[in-house]
Amino acid sequence: MDEGKMDENEWRYHGEGNKSLVVAHAQRCVVLRFLKFPPSRKKTSEEVFQHLQNIVDFSKNVMKEFLGENSVHCGEVVQLPLDFVKQLCLKIQSERPESRCDKDLDTLSGYALCLPNLARLQTYRFAEHRPILCVEIKPQCVFIEECGSSSHELERRVENFSWCQHNKVATGKWKQISKYCPLDLYSGNKQRMHFALKSLLQEAQNNLKIFKNGELIYGCADARSPAADWNELAHHLKPFFFPSNGLAGGPHCTRAVIRELVRVITRVLLSGSDKGRAGALRRGPAPRGPRVCEASPFGRSLRRQGKNSPECSGLPKGCLLYKTLQVQMLDLLDIEGLYPLYRRVERYLEEFPEERKTLQIDGPYDEAFYQKLLDLSTEDDGTVAFALTKVQQYRVAMTAKDCSIMIALSPCLQDTSSEQRPVVPSSRSRFAFSVSVLDLDLKPYESIPHQYKLDGKIVNFYSKTVLAKDAAVMPTRYKEREDCTLVLHTV
Ligand SMILES: O=P(O)(O)O[C@@H]1[C@@H](OP(=O)(O)O)[C@H](OP(=O)(O)O)[C@H](O)[C@H](OP(=O)(O)O)[C@H]1OP(=O)(O)O
Ligand SMILES: Nc1ncnc2c1ncn2[C@@H]1O[C@H](COP(=O)(O)OP(=O)(O)OP(=O)(O)O)[C@@H](O)[C@H]1O
């Protein structure tokens, strides 16, 4: 990219989250990722540069190691003409969702990250003229605690995503509760994965987006977004899944297309050979892993059929979901167990503030930082070193819980043997695909007290409102079902 000759008209708005905004180049397969800040909290150019460089280093030295070479794209920090950034900011402003405008794009530093456009197939520098479908999933995951330190009985039975849902609907972030449960997606069981993906398609929230040729065609900006329309989605997807078939429109066609999409995405999620060292993080004889959440409609339906635990095939070790799950499991203590250790580090830093650098709280995220993450011992010897290791592991685990997976699919040309990428079959076509991870920014040390408070608030809210409501209807339910102990709430 020639940073000297930048023209804002060659870039278009692509998307944004809470902390960054992304624009994509119209012809080339690159995006620029800018940081966003609240209007009152501007950072100096040096701070922005350091922040972006930390993101690159963390991706390169930590996440690439865990998740594998092919799925992590570190990008590079670029310095852009300030005039270009200002013009670009004006150009895209009208396309930004209102709910994201509480923060402004950083137009002062001139720094941004330049990354490959993951909504396109990787390996090509220029946009291909083949049609491209891209599915972005933010799977999230927090475990059902069975032997962890959580004191909340509730957390042992209901997966975090589900109890957060009640809070998000109550605060107006989303209109309705999602049936999606991360434990279904991470189960490795095809039936449960199909259920999870269909639930995401019904209620996308910020967990699912679909792009066609780089344009967002499905996804939900905020609670004001119109309800998802599967017929419209099927109309977009039909040429991909039924290219030469005269499948008529209507509900039958919609169902067939959605079924194909769900099957192909499941196959891709279960595929993978890219090496990564996340497997090395395996701990103890009985590793924690996804089971069934009591709030998941899939889990409830299993229990109605008299099955208490699902036939769980488990995720294949090479697949990206397995690797992200292993990184999420670096959080051995959950926030309740972690918080006293965070306080120990805090007390030490209050006494010796100059040590912050040596402890690598704000980087550098180098090889030494990565090596310390591999220490999975849980025996607390009362030292700051032990507390620090757990704090850093928690931050990395939280990052893996909040990342997104991008799956790009492109119909194979006639001669599929010439494909250099992996290929996934659907019933009427074949797709070359790539799978990548994005949003691998290490969660800040300062977010730990926020997580601690949020956890307490959500559990309180859930127990007071949802469980209380359930208790009120319990007598009727008790008559309906023998296994009353499993009933927690209505979703
Ligand atoms: O705090 P939470 O649990 O609401 O999670 C935030 C996400 O909300 P969600 O749970 O997906 O609705 C939130 O997602 P949205 O921006 O709301 O789509 C961000 O991912 C946020 O991360 P960061 O602060 O930008 O690094 C996430 O913050 P942290 O992961 O830093 O807590
Ligand atoms: N390299 C990329 N290629 C294509 N699209 C991208 C890329 N990076 C980000 N995006 C798009 O931009 C959106 C916002 O990016 P990102 O998730 O990194 O923002 P964020 O502010 O860090 O998110 P969050 O709110 O989850 O913390 C993504 O959801 C994705 O659609």
Side-chain angles (χ1 to χ4, degrees):
M1 190 169 63
D2 186 352
E3 287 97 7
K5 292 187 200 147
M6 299 293 288
D7 177 356
E8 69 278 4
N9 296 312
E10 291 178 351
W11 299 85
R12 54 182 174 66
Y13 178 80
H14 182 69
E16 66 189 290
N18 182 34
K19 289 200 172 139
S20 53
L21 185 149
V22 174
V23 293
H25 194 274
Q27 276 90 40
R28 285 182 289 128
C29 277
V30 286
V31 299
L32 291 172
R33 185 171 181 239
F34 292 91
L35 292 180
K36 304 192 323 183
F37 300 111
S40 55
R41 257 196 31 225
K42 304 276 183 241
K43 289 201 177 185
T44 65
S45 299
E46 181 50 36
E47 283 170 329
V48 172
F49 174 80
Q50 199 47 61
H51 187 131
L52 292 171
Q53 192 55 51
N54 274 348
I55 294 177
V56 174
D57 292 346
F58 180 70
S59 289
K60 199 183 280 172
N61 297 317
V62 179
M63 286 309 196
K64 238 183 209 289
E65 290 294 328
F66 283 143
L67 303 179
E69 184 76 19
N70 296 339
S71 33
V72 178
H73 302 270
C74 311
E76 57 172 348
V77 184
V78 288
Q79 189 172 21
L80 305 159
L82 285 180
D83 200 38
F84 162 75
V85 182
K86 289 199 177 104
Q87 293 305 323
L88 184 67
C89 177
L90 289 175
K91 186 188 151 191
I92 59 164
Q93 188 58 31
S94 61
E95 293 179 63
R96 299 182 59 198
E98 209 184 309
S99 60
R100 295 291 189 190
C101 291
D102 55 331
K103 290 186 182 156
D104 299 332
L105 183 148
D106 161 42
T107 51
L108 299 178
S109 75
Y111 290 113
L113 273 181
C114 180
L115 291 149
N117 186 343
L118 302 175
R120 305 229 161 231
L121 277 194
Q122 291 318 302
T123 68
Y124 287 96
R125 280 185 54 227
F126 290 90
E128 285 184 84
H129 295 295
R130 289 204 257 171
I132 306 263
L133 189 65
C134 172
V135 178
E136 177 180 343
I137 302 172
K138 179 169 166 175
Q140 301 191 295
C141 193
V142 182
F143 310 103
I144 297 178
E145 285 299 317
E146 287 195 316
C147 49
S149 57
S150 173
S151 64
H152 303 299
E153 172 63 14
L154 177 65
E155 283 178 57
R156 298 203 181 94
R157 308 195 307 196
V158 179
E159 190 281 327
N160 176 289
F161 182 85
S162 309
W163 39 273
C164 286
Q165 278 288 304
H166 289 270
N167 198 41
K168 286 178 189 171
V169 171
T171 55
K173 183 164 181 174
W174 302 115
K175 267 194 234 123
Q176 59 185 37
I177 300 237
S178 165
K179 284 190 210 140
Y180 169 69
C181 174
L183 299 182
D184 291 331
L185 190 71
Y186 281 93
S187 68
N189 173 301
K190 280 192 185 156
Q191 205 192 344
R192 287 180 72 185
M193 292 176 78
H194 292 173
F195 183 83
L197 291 169
K198 279 198 186 135
S199 305
L200 285 178
L201 283 162
Q202 274 161 355
E203 187 59 28
Q205 297 189 355
N206 60 352
N207 300 101
L208 178 81
K209 287 181 197 164
I210 303 180
F211 299 87
K212 184 173 147 184
N213 303 330
E215 301 283 336
L216 184 72
I217 56 162
Y218 199 79
C220 176
D222 52 38
R224 284 183 294 272
S225 305
D229 183 345
W230 278 19
N231 293 328
E232 204 182 308
L233 176 64
H235 174 74
H236 278 294
L237 301 187
K238 201 174 132 192
F240 285 87
F241 293 100
F242 295 95
S244 53
N245 171 291
L247 191 71
H252 167 70
C253 166
T254 299
R255 274 199 304 275
V257 171
I258 299 287
R259 195 169 48 236
E260 284 298 306
L261 172 72
V262 163
R263 283 187 185 159
V264 165
I265 297 302
T266 303
R267 282 198 184 123
V268 171
L269 285 174
L270 291 173
S271 72
S273 55
D274 190 12
K275 296 267 184 306
R277 295 200 214 158
L281 291 171
R282 218 158 218 297
R283 52 192 67 77
R288 292 186 302 159
R291 288 168 169 256
V292 176
C293 166
E294 291 190 22
S296 157
F298 190 92
R300 287 211 306 271
S301 127
L302 278 171
R303 287 191 296 278
R304 270 198 295 275
Q305 294 164 35
K307 295 179 190 168
N308 270 337
S309 62
E311 292 128 28
C312 174
S313 57
L315 288 166
K317 281 191 187 157
C319 78
L320 197 54
L321 279 181
Y322 176 86
K323 287 185 261 187
T324 43
L325 185 61
Q326 294 296 311
V327 181
Q328 293 178 8
M329 286 158 83
L330 277 175
D331 167 20
L332 291 166
L333 302 168
D334 84 63
I335 188 67
E336 261 195 277
L338 193 271
Y339 192 68
L341 298 176
Y342 162 81
R343 290 293 311 144
R344 189 186 299 167
V345 177
E346 268 299 273
R347 281 194 300 275
Y348 180 75
L349 286 177
E350 275 158 22
E351 210 176 327
F352 307 103
E354 69 286 358
E355 285 291 292
R356 196 174 166 107
K357 206 160 180 233
T358 326
L359 300 190
Q360 293 185 282
I361 302 279
D362 314 300
Y365 304 126
D366 53 12
E367 170 69 19
F369 180 89
Y370 167 72
Q371 287 299 335
K372 285 182 204 142
L373 295 171
L374 303 179
D375 176 2
L376 300 177
S377 58
T378 48
E379 210 142 301
D380 186 359
D381 54 5
T383 60
V384 171
F386 175 82
L388 180 70
T389 302
K390 297 301 132 195
V391 163
Q392 304 290 44
Q393 286 171 339
Y394 177 81
R395 291 172 64 195
V396 177
M398 290 307 285
T399 307
K401 286 173 191 175
D402 199 40
C403 69
S404 297
I405 295 179
M406 280 275 212
I407 297 166
L409 300 163
S410 181
C412 287
L413 303 170
Q414 292 298 347
D415 177 13
T416 51
S417 59
S418 64
E419 280 299 345
Q420 303 195 335
R421 288 155 297 204
V423 169
V424 60
S426 78
S427 63
R428 303 288 167 83
S429 46
R430 291 160 68 81
F431 297 93
F433 70 90
S434 69
V435 193
S436 328
V437 201
L438 59 88
D439 197 5
L440 291 172
D441 306 358
L442 180 61
K443 295 291 173 189
Y445 171 77
E446 287 71 25
S447 70
I448 294 175
H450 160 76
Q451 286 295 337
Y452 183 66
K453 274 194 210 125
L454 189 67
D455 184 73
K457 248 201 233 163
I458 292 169
V459 173
N460 248 335
F461 174 82
Y462 191 92
S463 356
K464 276 197 193 129
T465 55
V466 186
L467 292 187
K469 214 162 87 193
D470 259 22
V473 296
M474 189 63 102
T476 340
R477 295 250 191 103
Y478 185 62
K479 273 181 225 147
E480 279 171 12
R481 308 182 54 225
E482 280 178 14
D483 185 10
C484 66
T485 54
L486 286 170
V487 179
L488 264 178
H489 61 88
T490 46
V491 179

